[in-house]
Amino acid sequence: SSDLVPPGAERKVTLNYNQLLRKDRGLTDFLFPLSTARYTSHAVEKIDFQIAIESGIDIKNIYSPTHGVDIKRPDAKHAVVSYTRTNEVPVSDFRLLFDVDKGQVGASVISYKPKEGEDGFFLMLASPQVKAADAERPKKTVIFVLDRSGSMSGKKIEQAKSAVKFVLNNLREGDLFNIVAYDGAVESYKPELERYNDETRKAAVGYVEGLYPGGGTNIAGALTTALGQLKDNSRPNYVLFLTDGLPTIGETNEGKICAGAKDANKIRARILSFGVGYDVNSRLLDRISRDGYGLSEYVRPDEDIEAHVSAVYGNISSPVLTDVAVNFELDGIKTEDGPPVNRVYPKGNFDLFEGQQLVVVGRYRKPGAAKVVIKGQVSGHEQKFDFPAMLTEKSGDESYAFVEKIWAMRRIGEIIDQLDLVGKNEEMVKELVELSTKHGILTPYTSFLADDTARPLADASAVRRARESLSELDRADGISGVAQRAEKGRFQNATGGLPQSKAMPASGPAGFGGGLGGVAGGAPALGNSFRDLKTDKDVAADSVRQYGNQAVYARKKSNSDSTASGKPATQIVVKPETAELDLEKDKDKIEVVDRFT
C-alpha cells in the first residue's frame, strides 16, 4: 500500500513465526524456501542467514547439503550457523540438518536408493564432542618444512614466516615441534623435536624471524630430514610442507622424491602440502600428500599464504581420534557376498578433529538395519563407538537425493585422481563422462557439455572428447597444472550440492575426512560452472541446470528454425536419457521449456 510505503521510501518488515521441524533418522531438518528468488529479474542484493541452535543435549552434527555455511560452536550445547552472500541469484532452497547425542562422538546415517536392483547411496556424518576451553587435549607433534629458496623473496617469505609463527603461537603445552628450513641446503631449527612451552615458543619465533631467502630448492632432502625425526606413533604427527617451486637441488626426479618421502615416513605421519603460486609441481605435491595420508592446498599468487596455513592448522589443531576406521555390520551378510558397503570416500583411515565434521559417502548393496562401528586411537589407546543405521530399501521421493549427488562428486574426484597419479584408463574415462552428464557436474574435461550448440551427451564422441581433454593432466606445473589439482580436491572433498569454488584439501587413500576445508569460498550464482584451465577461474554454464535431482541441458535448435534475425527461435531441453535421440526425427520426444528461451 502506498500509505505504508511511500514512493522511493524503504520499510523493514519482520516476521515472527513458529515452525515444527521434521525429524527423520535422528536428524532435525530445517528448510527455508529460497529458490523462488531465481525467478527475479535481478540478483538479490544480500542474503544473510544467522541461525542459533540451542539444545539441552550436546549438539553433534550440523550440516547443510545445499549451501556452504559457517558454523561457530561456543560450547557443546550451542551453535550459530551463518551464510552470507551478496548480488546472488539463489538456485536452491536453504536446508540445514542437525542432530543431538550424548557421548564423545555422534554419528548419523542418511540413505537413498532410487532404483531397485542397483546399489543404494549413503552419507554418514560424524562429529566429536566439543570440549570446554580449559579441557585437556591429546598431545601432538608438528614439524614445519619451510621453503626459503630465492624465489620466496619478498611478500611470500614474509607471509610464510607469519604462517609459521601462527602455528607456533597456537601449539599447546606438551606438544612437540620443530622447523626445517630449506633452500639448496637443509637446516633444522633443533637437531631433534622440541617440547613446547612459552620459553621454547619465544626462541622458535626468534629463529623464524631470522630466516632469509636465497638458493635452490632441495625438496627431497627437506622432507626426509623432517620425517626422520618422527619416531612416536602413539601421538598424532603432522608435517606442514610448503614450497613455491620445482625441485632443483638433490633428487629432482618426481617418482624418486615421492618414494623417498614414503620410505622415510615410518609412523604414518600426515603430510599437509601447500603449493604457493603457479610454479610448483602440483602432481608431485598431490602424490606426496596421497602417499603421506594428508592433503594438498594451493595458494594462488593473489592469495595470502598465512590465511591458508592458519585455516588448515586451525582445523587440525585438536585431534580427537586418529587412524579412524568406519565399518558397517549387517545381519545376514555372508563372506562370499563381499563387503556390505563399497566405493566409500574418503578412502582408508583418517583423523577426526574437535570442531570438525566428518562426511563419509558410499554405496551399499543390502538394505536393512545396520550397525556403524567407528574405531580409532587416542593417545595410543583404541577407542570404539557404534551407532544404529537404517539403509532404505527404496526411496519414495527425492528428499535425500543430494546423497547421490555428493557421492557422484567424490567419485569423480577419485576417478580424476586415479587418471592423474596412476594412469589413463578407458573405463574410468567412460564413467567420468557418464557421471558428469547424469548429474550435470562439469569438470575441466567434460566442460563441452555446456556447449548449447551441440549435443555432446554420454555417447562415444563425448568419451573421445573427454579423453582428449584429459591429456592436459600431463601438465604438472603452471596455471593449468595447479588449477587441475585444486579442482580435483574440490570434488574429492565435496560436501554439498555443488563443489565450493575454493579448493578443499585433497584426501589421500588414507587421508583426511571430507569437510576439512581451507579458506572459505562460494560457487557462482547462476547455473552450474566449470574451471577454465587457462585462467584458473570458474566459468558459469547457464545451459546446464538442475531441476530436483535431474540435470537438463539447454540446446539451440538448428538455424533452419531461426527467426527473421537469423537467431534460433527457441531452445530445447535435452535430458541425459534422451542422449541417443535424433533432434530432428524425435522432436515430439523432447521437451520444450520456455524458461531457457
Side-chain angles (χ1 to χ4, degrees):
S1 170
S2 59
D3 294 335
L4 296 175
V5 185
E10 185 176 295
R11 294 291 185 270
K12 182 178 180 180
V13 178
T14 301
L15 298 178
N16 294 304
Y17 65 96
N18 295 320
Q19 181 179 354
L20 181 63
L21 302 182
R22 184 179 72 154
K23 189 171 183 179
D24 184 25
R25 308 178 208 194
L27 287 162
T28 300
D29 193 345
F30 170 70
L31 182 71
F32 185 84
L34 193 61
S35 61
T36 52
R38 70 184 176 208
Y39 299 111
T40 62
S41 58
H42 302 286
V44 179
E45 184 175 330
K46 187 176 183 180
I47 300 171
D48 189 1
F49 280 94
Q50 298 288 330
I51 302 172
I53 303 173
E54 299 179 9
S55 172
I57 306 173
D58 288 1
I59 302 168
K60 284 298 190 294
N61 297 290
I62 306 172
Y63 171 69
S64 173
T66 57
H67 293 73
V69 296
D70 179 59
I71 301 172
K72 303 294 185 186
R73 308 187 67 160
D75 57 51
K77 294 180 173 59
H78 295 82
V80 178
V81 180
S82 59
Y83 174 82
T84 303
R85 291 292 186 274
T86 57
N87 297 317
E88 178 175 283
V89 178
V91 295
S92 67
D93 294 333
F94 179 87
R95 193 173 182 186
L96 187 72
L97 304 169
F98 63 91
D99 63 4
V100 297
D101 197 5
K102 298 178 181 179
Q104 188 175 347
V105 176
S108 291
V109 175
I110 304 169
S111 59
Y112 178 65
K113 195 171 187 292
K115 294 182 180 179
E116 294 182 5
E118 296 184 7
D119 288 0
F121 303 85
F122 75 85
L123 179 147
M124 187 192 79
L125 303 172
S127 295
Q129 183 181 38
V130 176
K131 296 182 179 180
D134 57 352
E136 185 73 14
R137 266 80 174 177
K139 304 298 185 289
K140 61 184 178 297
T141 299
V142 177
I143 298 183
F144 208 108
V145 182
L146 174 62
D147 187 343
R148 61 172 184 184
S149 61
S151 58
M152 286 289 291
S153 60
K155 183 172 68 173
K156 285 195 284 189
I157 192 65
E158 293 307 316
Q159 289 182 354
K161 287 160 66 172
S162 294
V164 179
K165 288 185 285 186
F166 173 88
V167 174
L168 290 171
N169 289 327
N170 284 275
L171 293 174
R172 294 190 174 93
E173 292 276 346
D175 287 346
L176 299 177
F177 75 97
N178 206 349
I179 304 162
V180 175
Y182 68 99
D183 43 40
V186 178
E187 174 184 285
S188 286
Y189 164 56
K190 294 291 184 180
E192 57 186 21
L193 297 174
E194 185 89 335
R195 188 167 297 278
Y196 184 81
N197 55 47
D198 191 55
E199 183 179 346
T200 58
R201 178 192 65 82
K202 290 177 181 177
V205 168
Y207 169 77
V208 173
E209 286 290 355
L211 294 175
Y212 295 95
T217 308
N218 188 351
I219 289 176
L223 285 173
T224 54
T225 297
L227 291 165
Q229 297 180 13
L230 300 175
K231 311 291 185 184
D232 183 4
N233 62 2
S234 67
R235 59 166 60 207
N237 293 271
Y238 304 103
V239 175
L240 278 61
F241 164 53
L242 185 149
T243 184
D244 81 327
L246 309 173
T248 59
I249 303 294
E251 182 58 69
T252 59
N253 178 271
E254 180 180 321
K256 291 182 179 180
I257 292 173
C258 294
K262 186 175 183 179
D263 184 63
N265 192 357
K266 304 295 186 184
I267 61 168
R268 294 174 62 89
R270 301 200 182 276
I271 303 176
L272 321 180
S273 300
F274 297 86
V276 180
Y278 290 127
D279 293 330
V280 298
N281 184 329
S282 57
R283 185 175 57 220
L284 170 64
L285 263 61
D286 268 18
R287 196 182 298 275
I288 289 171
S289 297
R290 180 187 174 94
D291 291 344
Y293 320 105
L295 59 83
S296 298
E297 180 90 350
Y298 292 96
V299 186
R300 272 56 169 212
D302 59 342
E303 295 177 335
D304 191 329
I305 300 169
E306 182 185 358
H308 280 260
V309 174
S310 59
V312 171
Y313 178 74
N315 286 328
I316 68 164
S317 60
S318 297
V320 174
L321 211 57
T322 61
D323 202 23
V324 178
V326 176
N327 293 295
F328 281 70
E329 298 178 358
L330 285 85
D331 291 337
I333 290 288
K334 302 176 183 177
T335 304
E336 56 267 29
D337 294 332
V341 297
N342 58 83
R343 290 163 287 177
V344 177
Y345 307 110
K347 297 172 65 176
N349 293 8
F350 41 79
D351 291 356
L352 194 56
F353 303 95
E354 183 180 340
Q356 297 303 310
Q357 183 167 266
L358 173 70
V359 180
V360 177
V361 294
R363 307 289 301 268
Y364 65 91
R365 293 177 180 171
K366 183 182 177 181
K371 182 169 70 173
V372 181
V373 180
I374 299 177
K375 292 193 294 186
Q377 300 285 325
V378 178
S379 301
H381 302 288
E382 183 177 274
Q383 293 271 359
K384 181 179 178 181
F385 309 91
D386 59 75
F387 309 89
M390 178 59 69
L391 301 177
T392 188
E393 185 172 358
K394 180 71 169 65
S395 296
D397 56 38
E398 294 189 349
S399 296
Y400 297 116
F402 63 84
V403 175
E404 180 181 359
K405 181 75 174 284
I406 297 169
W407 178 86
M409 289 181 181
R410 297 267 186 102
R411 176 61 184 166
I412 284 173
E414 170 66 13
I415 290 172
I416 296 173
D417 193 52
Q418 290 289 318
L419 295 169
D420 184 20
L421 302 184
V422 178
K424 304 298 187 293
N425 179 295
E426 190 70 12
E427 287 302 312
M428 282 193 166
V429 176
K430 183 179 179 182
E431 186 180 358
L432 171 65
V433 172
E434 290 173 347
L435 287 171
S436 185
T437 303
K438 178 181 179 181
H439 297 284
I441 301 169
L442 302 185
T443 73
Y445 320 107
T446 55
S447 59
F448 52 78
L449 291 169
D451 181 1
D452 63 3
T453 64
R455 191 169 59 92
L457 294 180
D459 55 14
S461 64
V463 175
R464 174 183 54 78
R465 293 182 69 173
R467 185 171 58 248
E468 292 171 352
S469 298
L470 282 161
S471 64
E472 192 68 16
L473 280 171
D474 294 337
R475 297 182 62 90
D477 58 354
I479 293 177
S480 175
V482 169
Q484 289 182 90
R485 275 79 198 185
E487 185 73 351
K488 178 174 63 175
R490 281 171 46 165
F491 288 115
Q492 287 177 306
N493 294 274
T495 57
L498 285 170
Q500 298 298 298
S501 64
K502 175 58 61 183
M504 303 289 280
S507 293
F512 287 83
L516 217 178
V519 182
L526 286 172
N528 291 17
S529 67
F530 63 90
R531 199 72 170 177
D532 185 279
L533 299 182
K534 293 181 180 179
T535 63
D536 194 20
K537 301 293 183 182
D538 273 322
V539 177
D542 293 337
S543 61
V544 184
R545 302 289 181 91
Q546 287 293 140
Y547 288 91
N549 204 38
Q550 174 70 62
V552 294
Y553 297 81
R555 292 291 181 262
K556 293 179 180 178
K557 279 194 173 183
S558 66
N559 287 330
S560 61
D561 293 320
S562 61
T563 63
S565 65
K567 296 181 179 179
T570 187
Q571 291 177 312
I572 57 176
V573 170
V574 182
K575 297 181 180 181
E577 58 264 31
T578 66
E580 301 305 319
L581 293 179
D582 184 292
L583 295 190
E584 292 303 317
K585 295 179 181 178
D586 300 306
K587 288 180 181 178
D588 60 320
K589 300 178 183 178
I590 301 173
E591 178 185 5
V592 178
V593 181
D594 60 5
R595 71 186 65 171
F596 283 110
T597 301

